[in-house]
Amino acid sequence: MSAIAVIDFETSGLMPEAGGRATEVAIVLTEAGRIVDRFQSLMNAGVWIPPFITQLTGISNAMVQAAPAAAQVMAEAARFVGQLPLIAHNASFDRKFWQAELARLGLEAAQPFACTVLLSRRLYPQAPNHKLGTLAAFHALPRNGRAHRALSDAEVTAELLLRLQRDLREQHGVAAPDHDFLQALQQCSKATLPRFLQRHATRPN
């Protein structure tokens, strides 16, 4: 199965358009049902991190002041991802920061995104909620490191992606749940989901 890049940002605020900047990025590559590579770095975007963000993430102003410049980190992140499609948990948030930070470098950010929040809502409606920590506990996913740090969250999201793909193959008969399939799946309504899955299930000759 083709490679997918799972991305997670920690930031100084909720929206780039309101002045929020990335303070940490992590990217985990998955391929053929396993994690195959990782990239992670704090970054210095020259912004102040509010105390409530430090309390949530553990990332302090001193930590980012000692980190490489955001432009350097994002250029490396762009090279690491290349043309691979992206997935994130609550992808609308991470997509905004991916696009905004690369736009500052004059780089295009045209990679398609899929969202493990939307996908888990489709496949696991019985979960208590679809927060990353809840889904990690619900599926007993491995977790290393602290929640709300980019690499830890990206790794858990990657494990959730691999679980989604395995369940699609084993429970729903979808032979190749690649990124294109996942994008189509997340757009299904509850009413159309069974027919969509049936249509894509591998049938005997």
Side-chain angles (χ1 to χ4, degrees), residues 52-131:
F52 80 92
I53 295 287
T54 298
Q55 185 174 13
L56 177 68
T57 65
I59 298 173
S60 67
N61 283 289
M63 289 166 66
V64 296
Q65 286 166 8
Q72 175 187 333
V73 173
M74 288 305 303
E76 291 173 3
R79 285 193 295 270
F80 186 78
V81 170
Q83 298 303 310
L84 292 178
L86 289 160
I87 277 187
H89 200 71
N90 190 20
S92 61
F93 174 87
D94 295 281
R95 182 175 56 237
K96 284 181 180 179
F97 280 93
W98 176 250
Q99 293 171 342
E101 293 294 343
L102 290 185
R104 289 175 174 271
L105 305 181
L107 297 176
E108 189 177 10
Q111 297 91 342
F113 267 80
C115 179
T116 48
V117 172
L118 298 179
L119 291 165
S120 66
R121 285 175 180 164
R122 302 302 181 269
L123 288 191
Y124 310 121
Q126 72 275 29
N129 61 57
H130 299 279
K131 296 178 181 178

Side-chain angles (χ1 to χ4, degrees), residues 8-82:
D8 186 85
F9 282 103
E10 300 305 328
T11 66
S12 66
L14 293 177
M15 296 180 295
E17 56 268 36
R21 293 293 306 275
T23 56
E24 186 178 39
V25 63
I27 303 156
V28 175
L29 301 188
T30 69
E31 189 171 14
R34 62 191 184 94
I35 292 171
V36 296
D37 206 355
R38 297 167 175 83
F39 172 89
Q40 178 272 336
S41 183
L42 290 163
M43 67 182 86
N44 184 356
V47 293
W48 178 74
I49 301 175
F52 80 92
I53 295 287
T54 298
Q55 185 174 13
L56 177 68
T57 65
I59 298 173
S60 67
N61 283 289
M63 289 166 66
V64 296
Q65 286 166 8
Q72 175 187 333
V73 173
M74 288 305 303
E76 291 173 3
R79 285 193 295 270
F80 186 78
V81 170

